[in-house]
Amino acid sequence: MNWFDRLKSGIQTLVRRTMPDNLWIKCERCHQTLYSKQVRQAFGICPHCGAHFRIGYREYLDHILDEGSFSEIATEVKSADPLQFEDRKRYADRIREGRKATGMDAAVSVGIGKIDGWRVGVGIHEPAFIMGTLSSAEGERFCRLIDRCITERLPLLLICRSGGARMQESALSLMQLAKINARLARFADEGLLFISILTDPTTAGVSASYALIGDINIAEPNALIGFTGERITGSSVGEEELEALRRAQRAEKVLEHGFVDMIVPRNEMRQTLARLYSLLLNSRSGAEVRV
């Protein structure tokens, strides 16, 4: 019986409804299956074990900044393919995929926002864009942000979530690390406040340069913070050494050795930053007043 005959005879057709994508997610630490909406409402934190999921840059900024306060800058600076690089895939295709996945033209977003009324220069990596890696565009965006903070005497907040320097741009990428650090040296000479937040992952050149030279370095719980990960060292060391590496490059061990100043869960990050700005900015001459 065709569809029209079934309709005339009064027989009802069962309409199959598919389940929406990404309705459920699995926690890699406690292996619990979680309702996605519940995790989003908890700032991307597992309600069972406290594991911190990676979330989009917009969602992260919404958690820590005053509502509607973020004004993005340097959006005209975009990732390009100056070396016409190709490995397993053309670099130009990787950039195109990153843009499609994130709606961004580079792996970092920079701008001016407010935290509890304090104006702050904010830069954040987006891991969904080629693992948040740093290339020429990202370096230029960070430098323009730092220059803006120096001009307007604003504190600087960098939220690091990166796999390091982007190999597809070779030395052009590596030089961004020195370029950003040179700008941060000028920033420090002005007596301005730089806070660095290290999330999972903060690795390679990013961890070896600007991520760990903040006036205050704050890590999220269990964040991967180190120079080389398992994919690099796994084939050259035994399982015992590899397990030691895993432990050594987690936020808690990094704190123990003094490379970060505190570990703060994401749902307490905004309040922690507000307290720090209230304590430190009031005591610094020439600092931007609260507005």
Side-chain angles (χ1 to χ4, degrees):
M1 181 182 295
N2 64 36
W3 186 84
F4 289 104
D5 290 336
R6 288 170 64 88
L7 184 64
K8 287 189 292 185
S9 67
I11 299 175
Q12 294 184 349
T13 301
L14 178 64
V15 177
R16 295 186 180 274
R17 299 187 182 274
T18 59
M19 183 177 293
D21 292 335
N22 302 320
L23 187 61
W24 302 93
I25 56 176
K26 187 174 182 179
C27 177
E28 294 183 0
R29 187 192 295 180
C30 68
H31 307 295
Q32 294 285 331
T33 300
L34 309 169
Y35 184 36
S36 297
K37 184 177 180 180
Q38 182 184 16
V39 175
R40 287 195 300 271
Q41 291 172 343
F43 305 97
I45 300 173
C46 174
H48 297 285
C49 69
H52 283 48
F53 291 88
R54 296 173 188 172
I55 60 176
Y57 83 102
R58 282 285 183 187
E59 192 175 354
Y60 203 107
L61 292 179
D62 287 344
H63 287 326
I64 65 171
L65 298 181
D66 296 354
E67 184 176 357
S69 68
F70 185 67
S71 177
E72 194 170 8
I73 65 172
T75 54
E76 70 278 10
V77 181
K78 303 177 181 181
S79 290
D81 184 10
L83 304 180
Q84 301 296 302
F85 189 91
E86 183 174 355
D87 49 20
R88 291 176 298 174
K89 184 185 294 186
R90 293 173 63 245
Y91 177 40
D93 293 337
R94 294 182 188 274
I95 294 173
R96 191 158 35 248
E97 290 170 2
R99 286 174 175 158
K100 182 177 180 181
T102 63
M104 303 170 68
D105 288 314
V108 302
S109 175
V110 299
I112 309 300
K114 292 182 182 179
I115 297 178
D116 198 28
W118 295 99
R119 292 186 69 229
V120 181
V122 183
I124 182 170
H125 291 259
E126 173 49 70
F129 194 114
I130 316 181
M131 203 51 219
T133 46
L134 188 81
S135 71
S136 304
E138 288 76 16
E140 180 63 19
R141 286 190 176 196
F142 275 140
C143 287
R144 292 192 185 190
L145 172 66
I146 297 167
D147 288 344
R148 174 81 173 266
C149 288
I150 292 173
T151 300
E152 300 187 16
R153 302 201 61 76
L154 299 176
L156 174 67
L157 176 68
L158 295 186
I159 303 161
C160 303
R161 315 181 311 155
S162 174
R166 191 176 301 167
M167 68 173 219
Q168 289 88 350
E169 292 191 27
S170 188
L172 297 176
S173 175
L174 288 174
M175 69 182 290
Q176 303 307 313
L177 304 173
K179 178 179 171 181
I180 293 169
N181 276 25
R183 283 299 210 292
L184 287 173
R186 288 177 50 199
F187 183 87
D189 288 342
E190 294 291 330
L192 299 170
L193 176 64
F194 169 31
I195 295 179
S196 179
I197 298 177
L198 298 91
T199 78
D200 187 80
T202 301
T203 58
V206 170
S207 69
S209 57
Y210 57 87
L212 283 165
I213 63 171
D215 295 305
I216 299 175
N217 297 324
I218 305 173
E220 288 188 344
N222 200 48
L224 173 62
I225 302 169
F227 190 70
T228 60
E230 292 183 35
R231 288 190 300 175
I232 303 298
T233 59
S235 60
S236 59
V237 300
E239 183 57 37
E240 184 176 345
E241 291 83 0
L242 189 58
E243 182 57 33
L245 177 68
R246 294 189 186 109
R247 293 194 303 270
Q249 297 192 132
R250 290 297 167 177
E252 290 71 18
K253 185 62 70 172
V254 177
L255 173 67
E256 183 180 323
H257 289 280
F259 289 99
V260 299
D261 300 296
M262 62 183 78
I263 295 175
V264 178
R266 191 179 298 152
N267 57 347
E268 299 175 15
M269 191 67 73
R270 173 180 162 80
Q271 297 91 326
T272 299
L273 291 169
R275 286 197 299 270
L276 288 171
Y277 289 136
S278 180
L279 287 169
L280 298 173
L281 295 184
N282 282 326
S283 65
R284 293 195 174 205
S285 60
E288 174 71 9
V289 296
R290 189 176 177 183
V291 292

